[in-house]
Amino acid sequence: MRVAPSTSNVADAAERPRPVEILGAPRAISACEHTPAALAAAQSARCQECGSDFNLRLCATCGHVGCCESQAGHARAHALGNGHPVIFEMPAPNGFAWCYVERRYLG
């Protein structure tokens, strides 16, 4: 017996991830609802808490720069403590993007 496919599971265009146009980005980033409309400029070239210059993460909302979770995790602490859930691997926007709320990579 064949069953007609249901359209109730088809995502509405408004529910689909939206591409984010970021100047200089090599590709469009598939965003989530937490992604700000514009990527903030980096406030520093080092982690603003510990001074590390290795595996840095950029807060997409305010431009805070922190180290990754394999170090002291200052980027994660900032994201969760300030309600800024989307981070980019630096140099942004060439690397990955991550949303802490949705717990997934974007793009």
Side-chain angles (χ1 to χ4, degrees):
M1 176 169 98
R2 293 185 99 179
V3 178
S6 170
T7 58
S8 63
N9 291 333
V10 176
D12 183 2
E15 296 174 4
R16 290 187 194 132
R18 61 186 168 89
V20 175
E21 301 273 338
I22 299 174
L23 292 176
R27 59 183 165 70
I29 309 262
S30 177
C32 66
E33 67 182 69
H34 308 104
T35 306
L39 180 63
Q43 295 178 10
S44 176
R46 296 179 167 272
C47 175
Q48 291 178 250
E49 284 73 33
C50 69
S52 174
D53 63 355
F54 183 70
N55 285 344
L56 299 176
R57 307 295 182 248
L58 171 70
C59 174
T61 302
C62 72
H64 175 271
V65 176
C67 58
C68 76
E69 293 177 45
S70 67
Q71 296 175 79
H74 290 123
R76 182 178 192 273
H78 170 83
L80 299 178
N82 291 283
H84 298 168
V86 177
I87 60 158
F88 280 80
E89 175 185 35
M90 287 189 64
N94 297 322
F96 67 81
W98 173 265
C99 177
Y100 282 105
V101 172
E102 296 191 12
R103 297 174 53 187
R104 70 177 180 96
Y105 288 101
L106 308 175

